[in-house]
Amino acid sequence: MPTAVSLFSGCGGSDDGLRAAGFDVLMANDVLAYARDLYTENFGGTEYVLKDIRQIKHFPSADLLIGCYPCQGFSQAGVRQPDRNINFLYREFVRALRLIKPKAFVVENVSGMVREDNFHLFQNQVVRFRTSGYRVRSAILDARHFGVAQERRRLFFVGIRSDLGETYEFPHPTHRLPGEEPSSLPQCPTIKDAIGDLPAWPEGEIDVQPFHWYYLSRNRYRGWDEQSKTIVASSRHAPLHPSSPKLLRVHTDKWIFESDAPARRISYREAARLQGFGDLRFPETQGIASRYRVIGNAVPPPVFKAVAAALPDVW
Ligand SMILES: C[S@@+](CC[C@H](N)C(=O)[O-])C[C@H]1O[C@@H](n2cnc3c(N)ncnc32)[C@H](O)[C@@H]1O
């Protein structure tokens, strides 16, 4: 079984996909205690190092290195500040890459990285990967194409060590989106497929803060037969549950509910399902904001599985 080291592992979305693709994850790492708690509660057998990556000096040797470094500075959801320190954690990933020298690596990040104001950082990463000895490809993938009931476009870098003489090809979609040309591919699942069997109003699992003006500055609603809007880390900005009334646009950045029927955000458990996780056990060590946060930060496991399974057999 090929081995992997995972950095910026969060609660384990990427690593769950990696295991499903047949990898043994030797080490995971993050600074967030609740990410570690959720990971170790649900995915045993991996050493989880709870530490700032900058303090880790030694890594196990492995065939594959993966990392989904944070993205606040590039993200539509976060503050767009391309010069924030957090945006330079990719250098830590490259440090680990040069120490471990795995046969391949996979990185996931927000698609905003390729926007004009961040493009120098995108290019800088490519240069560092190449000068570390890897042939690098990148692509933006939409989770819906891989059977996840959520619109989530993310950038992936995949590198294969140059001496192996292989070039990576990204996986073809396994699912068809609504409106795409008919093909033999199955339709992408809907919100109903993903969460339709869960309780209608799961007390204690929903962020019930009022819907403030910023929340209502855009459409947060999707119906049962659609795919979810992107699940983000902030519980306050979780999409509406489809049982809520629809939102109507009354001004450029202003939406109102079409009726007074009860409205709610999706719960953190529903968010996990819409991210493509199986049913997770949520430890009681922290409250609901932390649960939404680590789930919203995660890579949908089916997407990571597809990317890892498409790696050439260089092991
Ligand atoms: C995009 S999330 C990773 C998601 C994860 N791969 C998953 O699929 O669940 C980025 C992670 O980087 C972690 N992080 C931020 N700064 C860090 C640091 N200095 N050292 C280690 N981890 C850090 C965050 O806590 C966050 O969990």
Side-chain angles (χ1 to χ4, degrees):
M1 200 185 238
T3 55
V5 165
S6 161
L7 304 179
F8 310 99
S9 319
C11 71
S14 46
D15 299 13
D16 190 27
L18 203 51
R19 278 186 211 96
F23 287 81
D24 181 13
V25 186
L26 302 177
M27 175 194 150
N29 155 250
D30 207 283
V31 274
L32 266 188
Y34 193 72
R36 185 269 320 266
D37 296 349
L38 199 119
Y39 190 117
T40 50
E41 173 73 23
N42 290 280
F43 313 111
T46 294
E47 182 199 2
Y48 199 106
V49 181
L50 185 65
K51 225 182 212 180
D52 189 316
I53 180 69
R54 288 168 285 207
Q55 290 165 9
I56 302 182
K57 302 295 171 215
H58 304 285
F59 302 91
S61 59
D63 298 311
L64 179 70
L65 176 66
I66 70 158
C68 317
Y69 22 88
C71 47
Q72 279 87 335
F74 310 116
S75 165
Q76 301 252 3
V79 208
R80 291 191 203 169
Q81 292 177 359
D83 56 348
R84 282 176 63 185
N85 273 349
I86 199 161
N87 295 332
F88 295 100
L89 284 171
Y90 68 83
R91 294 177 188 164
E92 292 298 316
F93 181 83
V94 173
R95 179 175 66 84
L97 188 67
R98 290 181 178 171
L99 284 172
I100 303 172
K101 299 188 181 65
K103 292 177 177 154
F105 73 82
V106 180
V107 161
E108 183 259 17
N109 213 294
V110 288
S111 54
M113 177 94 77
V114 296
R115 260 200 333 257
E116 205 179 334
D117 47 344
N118 297 323
F119 202 64
H120 62 291
L121 291 173
F122 171 88
Q123 284 178 313
N124 190 259
Q125 286 169 75
V126 174
V127 168
R128 282 170 192 250
F129 295 146
R130 291 202 172 127
T131 55
S132 304
Y134 290 83
R135 284 189 189 170
V136 187
R137 306 291 294 268
S138 66
I140 292 176
L141 303 180
D142 186 331
R144 294 177 298 173
H145 275 137
F146 298 93
V148 176
Q150 181 200 163
E151 191 176 333
R152 189 179 188 93
R153 286 160 51 80
R154 291 290 184 265
L155 173 70
F156 284 81
F157 288 108
V158 179
I160 314 271
R161 218 172 57 207
S162 310
D163 60 292
L164 298 170
E166 297 271 359
T167 305
Y168 181 76
E169 300 295 339
F170 277 93
H172 293 295
T174 56
H175 289 72
R176 180 162 51 94
L177 307 192
E180 280 185 349
E181 292 285 301
S183 71
S184 57
L185 296 180
Q187 279 272 10
C188 175
T190 62
I191 298 178
K192 190 174 187 177
D193 296 326
I195 64 169
D197 62 318
L198 294 179
W201 202 282
E203 286 298 335
E205 298 191 353
I206 312 168
D207 183 322
V208 291
Q209 294 184 71
F211 300 112
H212 49 72
W213 68 266
Y214 181 72
Y215 191 85
L216 296 172
S217 68
R218 59 189 71 176
N219 189 5
R220 310 275 181 177
Y221 181 86
R222 287 281 169 85
W224 284 111
D225 294 330
E226 298 177 284
Q227 285 77 36
S228 172
K229 296 182 83 75
T230 305
I231 313 276
V232 293
S234 156
S235 59
R236 284 206 307 172
H237 298 146
L240 286 169
H241 187 269
S243 63
S244 309
K246 287 184 181 160
L247 286 170
L248 301 173
R249 189 179 191 172
V250 291
H251 205 269
T252 319
D253 292 324
K254 191 171 176 193
W255 297 70
I256 57 169
F257 287 106
E258 70 173 10
S259 81
D260 291 336
R264 72 161 175 94
R265 297 172 176 87
I266 57 166
S267 70
Y268 60 79
R269 195 176 300 281
E270 290 158 347
R273 284 267 194 98
L274 290 166
Q275 280 273 54
F277 281 101
D279 284 328
L280 296 175
R281 292 181 300 277
F282 287 87
E284 298 291 323
T285 46
Q286 289 189 28
I288 70 167
S290 298
R291 302 177 196 196
Y292 276 101
R293 180 178 180 188
V294 298
I295 293 297
N297 269 339
V299 184
V303 182
F304 214 91
K305 177 186 173 193
V307 172
L311 284 161
D313 189 7
V314 291
W315 324 116

